[in-house]
Amino acid sequence: MRVGLDVGGTKTDAVLVDPAGTVGARVRLATGWGPDAVTSTVVEAVGRLATAAGVPMSAFSTVGVGIPGQVDPVVGAVSHAVNLGIDYLDLAGAAGRALELPVHVENDVKAAALGAAALHGGEGTMAYLNLGTGVAAGIVRDGELVRGTRGGAGEVGHISVDPNGPRCRCGQRGCIEALAGGGAVAERWAKPGAFPVRDVFDAADAGDPLAVRLRGDLAYGVASAVRVLVLTDDVDTVVLGGGVSTLGARLLEDVTEVLDRSAVESAFLRSLSLPQRLEILPAGSPAAALGAALVGDARDGVLFGP
Amino acid sequence: MRVGLDVGGTKTDAVLVDPAGTVGARVRLATGWGPDAVTSTVVEAVGRLATAAGVPMSAFSTVGVGIPGQVDPVVGAVSHAVNLGIDYLDLAGAAGRALELPVHVENDVKAAALGAAALHGGEGTMAYLNLGTGVAAGIVRDGELVRGTRGGAGEVGHISVDPNGPRCRCGQRGCIEALAGGGAVAERWAKPGAFPVRDVFDAADAGDPLAVRLRGDLAYGVASAVRVLVLTDDVDTVVLGGGVSTLGARLLEDVTEVLDRSAVESAFLRSLSLPQRLEILPAGSPAAALGAALVGDARDGVLFGP
């Protein structure tokens, strides 16, 4: 049995995955802040899974961790995970020593992409588009993560799709993330609230002009990311996930409308059937933690094949 | 020995490639118009290569053909090659029967990408960006073409990077091809000339305001394609080729200037060292015909490796 953990800014989601790829026991706990507390969270999550499953930790073959920030998957270290208070942490080393288990670490979006691909099934190329505070994608080709030459594949959030668009926190204008990132939308909306993007959707429904513009920009940004992923890599499916994707059908409808407009304008775009390639991760999906369990295979996701 | 042919709208470039990957004999001839004439061109080119090398055609193991249009590489058929007068042609069948040799067919940009990758050498992911009448890329990963789920990978020319940009022939606004395609530039320039894009560069140097704008748009379009390819697939190198790329250093300087501007704006873009990833195919490079010779391997370009 494998363990997969999705370490988020506030919560950590942990699952057991059997050799057939089925998710078994699942626990959630609050994520600690800073390197030591994050390591403790990982260790505690694995212990709680053992308790929940009624097995000793020695029954687990590997522990995979998806975590935000810049990850060196070879070393198993994470850097610049600002939301977790981590500047640098050798998580595979620290958690591995405490657990006496092999620990693999991967960027959270890339891990979630593996999980989304495993849940989706099938061969070919697919993308997981994470709509969180920022925007990034994980691309999976025949069960394997596409990493690129320096591990930077999937950074579609910082492709500019409007030279006159809003300034991105990265410094460019009109980045996809500046249009569709939850952080950028909240900043432009500039009103307090637990889930500003939903507030924007509600206010747009009520006719608020700023909200209508922000909501339109968000849909345009997501649709642009879908076009980039399909036109560059011809991915068969784009699965939307992350906090903003919990808006569900409301988000899907907006994005589909933008894609439908480009299909009306352009026979070539129409031939690509973009709206049919779009899916959304169900609320509460264990994709991110499941994907983390798949990290570290010689061929990442090809764990359950023949 | 393998034969590689790059069938262009006016000329066909044919090369012999030995098992070490070295280009030997090379011939050029005019391309015929229509399915029968294109087949004859292919057959004649192979015969001329045999004569040039002083060997019988039976010394050739395979013939690879790169050709514009929509190609089904499994069947070896080409459709919608408007500039060649071809609606549909089973080129592998027709030329294979005449030559009594196995014939493999691939889209010209994808074949050229294989050749550019072979000439460039090294592992990792690279892209060949063809700046011809239209704009499209071929992406090569560890010597293999990235095709995508339906064979449509590399169609970056139809990614819109400016919602207020010029209308593309595909129907969308602000496509990379509408900014950087030789056809689009010629249309917007609307003055006769053998090589309108060079005329635009010259007129811009002389201060013509329309030319300055078109030249700026072209650089912005190419730079956008580079950003898309690096941010999505983290390609290590983008090799520029195609007719517009014969502008050489003048084009490279313009594109580098746009990339440098985004590096000044954005620390993240700066960290990607985009200008250093940019290369241009030397004038007269046999990359396209060489790449065609590599088409049809089980693992496309991995012909000469250990």
Side-chain angles (χ1 to χ4, degrees), chain A residues 123-126 139 141 144-156 158-164 167 170-173 220 224 227-237 262 265-269 271-273 277, chain B residues 123-126 139 141 144-156 158-164 167 170-173 220 224 227-237 262 265-269 271-273 277:
Chain A
E123 287 280 291
T125 309
M126 64 86 68
I139 303 163
R141 183 183 171 215
E144 260 187 291
L145 271 175
V146 171
R147 294 175 188 280
T149 302
R150 311 177 194 189
E155 289 287 0
V156 296
H158 296 291
I159 292 172
S160 168
V161 291
D162 185 356
N164 303 306
R167 184 72 68 183
C170 91
Q172 297 185 101
R173 273 201 181 279
Y220 184 74
S224 294
R227 285 189 288 243
V228 162
L229 290 162
V230 173
L231 286 160
T232 307
D233 282 339
D234 189 19
V235 300
D236 197 39
T237 311
S262 52
E265 277 181 353
S266 165
F268 176 62
L269 267 278
S271 77
L272 300 177
S273 310
R277 302 195 195 202
Chain B
E123 288 279 291
T125 309
M126 64 86 68
I139 303 163
R141 184 183 171 217
E144 260 186 291
L145 270 175
V146 172
R147 294 174 189 280
T149 303
R150 310 178 193 189
E155 288 287 1
V156 297
H158 297 291
I159 292 172
S160 168
V161 291
D162 185 356
N164 303 307
R167 184 72 68 184
C170 90
Q172 297 184 102
R173 272 202 182 279
Y220 184 76
S224 294
R227 285 190 288 245
V228 162
L229 289 162
V230 173
L231 287 159
T232 307
D233 282 340
D234 189 18
V235 300
D236 198 40
T237 310
S262 53
E265 278 182 351
S266 164
F268 177 63
L269 268 278
S271 77
L272 300 177
S273 309
R277 303 195 194 202

Side-chain angles (χ1 to χ4, degrees), chain B residues 179-254:
Chain B
L179 299 166
V185 173
E187 238 170 67
R188 294 169 77 198
W189 181 236
K191 289 175 190 161
F195 190 5
V197 179
R198 190 174 49 211
D199 298 343
V200 165
F201 270 63
D202 292 344
D205 279 339
D208 180 282
L210 173 62
V212 169
R213 187 147 65 85
L214 295 184
R215 187 171 167 175
D217 280 0
L218 192 152
Y220 184 76
V222 176
S224 294
V226 173
R227 285 190 288 245
V228 162
L229 289 162
V230 173
L231 287 159
T232 307
D233 282 340
D234 189 18
V235 300
D236 198 40
T237 310
V238 179
V239 178
L240 304 181
V244 173
S245 80
T246 60
L247 287 165
R250 298 172 87 187
L251 174 70
L252 209 54
E253 274 166 32
D254 281 18

Side-chain angles (χ1 to χ4, degrees), chain B residues 57-186:
Chain B
M57 288 213 288
S58 58
F60 303 151
S61 53
T62 59
V63 175
V65 184
I67 190 165
Q70 203 175 309
V71 171
D72 178 339
V74 177
V75 175
V78 54
S79 328
H80 310 303
V82 185
N83 295 336
L84 299 171
I86 292 175
D87 191 44
Y88 177 88
L89 168 62
D90 172 8
L91 182 56
R97 277 188 299 275
L99 292 165
E100 297 183 350
L101 286 170
V103 174
H104 302 292
V105 185
E106 185 50 274
N107 168 269
D108 59 343
V109 174
K110 288 194 168 71
L114 280 177
L119 289 173
H120 187 268
E123 288 279 291
T125 309
M126 64 86 68
Y128 168 76
L129 182 62
N130 193 71
L131 305 170
T133 307
V135 176
I139 303 163
V140 179
R141 184 183 171 217
D142 294 337
E144 260 186 291
L145 270 175
V146 172
R147 294 174 189 280
T149 303
R150 310 178 193 189
E155 288 287 1
V156 297
H158 297 291
I159 292 172
S160 168
V161 291
D162 185 356
N164 303 307
R167 184 72 68 184
C168 182
R169 275 180 283 187
C170 90
Q172 297 184 102
R173 272 202 182 279
C175 285
I176 287 173
E177 180 167 309
L179 299 166
V185 173

